[in-house]
């Protein structure tokens, strides 16, 4: 009996893409188009909202603060996640499973729950303040509602992205390369710096890109944990919509943030290719 191929598969990828395309069109492209329309039509049709942003020193300051915070969080995430991913990739299978499970548990926990957990930990009556007071720090420093608390919480939230990106690349690095370098006279530190670190570079680039872009749109943690002076661009959008009811200006800021994010994606695609971003650096 001769089997016939399914007509869905033989007609090409379009039927398979149709459900996702319809879903994205209804719940992403249409709302995004409406935001773009409001940025041009509220209160009157024109580019006045983008002109206000161009001449706003507050928007320039918040934009600078957002990129500075995103860069700092990206660097800290890399510093903490690299040893973690290295240990998981080069340890035993049971140890790797344990580490990745801990990372995944943090990832699966709601952002709001993690934010309130940091509020308890860093609060004036929290365990960190009590420990500093017990060590003789009198008066104990205020940790909550500072740049430190917001940066720490965002780093904690984004470490799983960096760890997974690094682990997916490190797991494919053959340990024989490092042993070969050591057998040729390189000490362990030099073998790591000249062999292992360059081979893990695709994971570093992917992780930094994902963390940086994700951090640009953070809203809850900077608002609930950070200082008002360190407000990020998502907080400004929230203020325009919830407090001043200036939907036109809020929409214009959203369009600018989207354009900057797409510019970063385009830059990554120019030098590395977007297919590598989700394939762990492997084509």
């Amino acid at each position: 009996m001769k089997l016939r191929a399914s007509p869905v598969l033989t007609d090409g990828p379009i039927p398979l893409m149709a459900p996702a395309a319809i879903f994205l069109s209804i719940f992403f492209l249409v709302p995004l188009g409406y935001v773009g329309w409001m940025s041009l039509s509220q209160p009157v049709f024109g580019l006045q909202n983008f002109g206000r942003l161009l001449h706003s020193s507050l928007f320039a300051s918040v934009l600078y603060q957002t990129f500075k915070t995103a860069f700092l969080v990206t660097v800290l995430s890399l510093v903490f996640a690299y040893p973690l991913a290295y240990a998981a990739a080069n340890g035993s299978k049971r140890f790797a499973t344990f580490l990745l499970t801990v990372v995944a548990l943090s990832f699966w926990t709601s952002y709001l729950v993690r934010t309130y957990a940091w509020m308890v930990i860093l609060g004036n009556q929290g365990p960190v303040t009590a420990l500093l007071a017990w060590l003789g720090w009198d008066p104990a420093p205020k940790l909550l509602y500072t740049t430190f608390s917001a940066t720490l919480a965002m780093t904690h939230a984004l470490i799983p992205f960096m760890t997974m990106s690094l682990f997916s690349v490190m797991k494919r690095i053959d340990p024989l390369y490092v042993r070969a370098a050591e057998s040729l006279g390189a000490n362990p530190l030099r073998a790591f710096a000249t062999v292992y670190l360059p081979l893990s570079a695709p994971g570093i680039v992917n992780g930094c890109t994902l963390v940086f872009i994700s951090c640009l749109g953070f809203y809850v943690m900077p608002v609930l944990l950070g200082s008002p002076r360190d407000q990020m661009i998502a907080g400004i959008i929230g203020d325009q919509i919830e407090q001043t009811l200036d939907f036109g200006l809020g929409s214009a800021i959203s369009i600018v943030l989207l354009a900057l994010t797409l510019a970063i994606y385009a830059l990554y695609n120019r030098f590395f290719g977007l297919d590598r971003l989700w394939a762990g650096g492997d084509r």
Side-chain angles (χ1 to χ4, degrees):
M1 181 178 178
K2 188 176 181 179
L3 296 177
R4 298 179 58 185
S6 170
V8 173
L9 297 178
T10 56
D11 289 344
I14 293 179
L16 299 176
M17 295 168 55
I22 294 172
F23 182 86
L24 289 176
S25 298
I26 295 175
F27 296 104
F28 178 71
L29 294 180
V30 172
L32 184 61
Y34 186 65
V35 170
W37 170 253
M38 284 199 300
S39 69
L40 297 171
S41 62
Q42 298 290 335
V44 294
F45 188 81
L47 296 174
Q48 70 278 355
N49 290 318
F50 294 97
R52 291 167 62 189
L53 293 180
L54 193 62
H55 296 91
S56 172
S57 58
L58 173 62
F59 176 70
S61 174
V62 171
L63 192 61
Y64 169 75
Q65 180 65 34
T66 301
F67 273 77
K68 187 181 76 171
T69 302
F71 177 77
L72 179 60
V73 170
T74 301
V75 172
L76 290 175
S77 298
L78 178 61
V79 169
F80 287 115
Y82 197 95
L84 189 63
Y86 180 87
N90 294 278
S92 65
K93 185 177 180 180
R94 178 176 297 182
F95 183 65
T97 302
F98 170 74
L99 281 182
L100 295 178
T101 302
V102 172
V103 173
L105 286 175
S106 173
F107 180 72
W108 291 333
T109 306
S110 165
Y111 278 108
L112 194 59
V113 173
R114 276 182 280 180
T115 301
Y116 279 114
W118 280 115
M119 293 180 74
V120 173
I121 293 172
L122 300 176
N124 293 333
Q125 306 299 324
V128 176
T129 303
L131 177 62
L132 293 176
W134 181 76
L135 292 174
W137 200 322
D138 187 25
K142 180 182 178 182
L143 301 175
L144 196 58
Y145 308 127
T146 62
T147 304
F148 168 78
S149 61
T151 304
L152 180 64
M154 285 189 285
T155 302
H156 169 248
L158 292 174
I159 279 179
F161 287 93
M162 185 71 78
T163 303
M164 295 301 179
S165 297
L166 291 169
F167 177 78
S168 63
V169 172
M170 290 179 176
K171 195 60 182 175
R172 291 198 294 269
I173 298 177
D174 194 334
L176 289 178
Y177 295 149
V178 177
R179 294 176 192 168
E182 292 176 349
S183 68
L184 293 174
N187 58 45
L189 182 60
R190 186 174 183 184
F192 172 83
T194 57
V195 177
Y196 196 90
L197 187 60
L199 290 175
S200 65
I204 296 175
V205 174
N206 292 350
C208 289
T209 304
L210 289 174
V211 169
F212 189 86
I213 290 176
S214 301
C215 194
L216 288 179
F218 256 107
Y219 175 73
V220 174
M221 289 179 173
V223 169
L224 295 182
L225 297 173
S227 165
R229 294 174 300 178
D230 303 325
Q231 196 168 26
M232 296 179 67
I233 195 167
I236 292 292
I237 296 173
D239 289 345
Q240 296 300 322
I241 294 176
E242 296 174 359
Q243 298 182 14
T244 64
L245 301 180
D246 193 341
F247 291 94
L249 187 60
S251 300
I253 299 174
S254 302
I255 294 299
V256 171
L257 178 60
L258 175 64
L260 293 174
T261 304
L262 292 178
I264 295 173
Y265 271 118
L267 196 63
Y268 179 91
N269 185 49
R270 172 68 178 79
F271 291 100
F272 304 103
L274 276 180
D275 54 335
R276 286 189 172 188
L277 188 61
W278 306 110
D282 193 15
R283 285 186 183 278

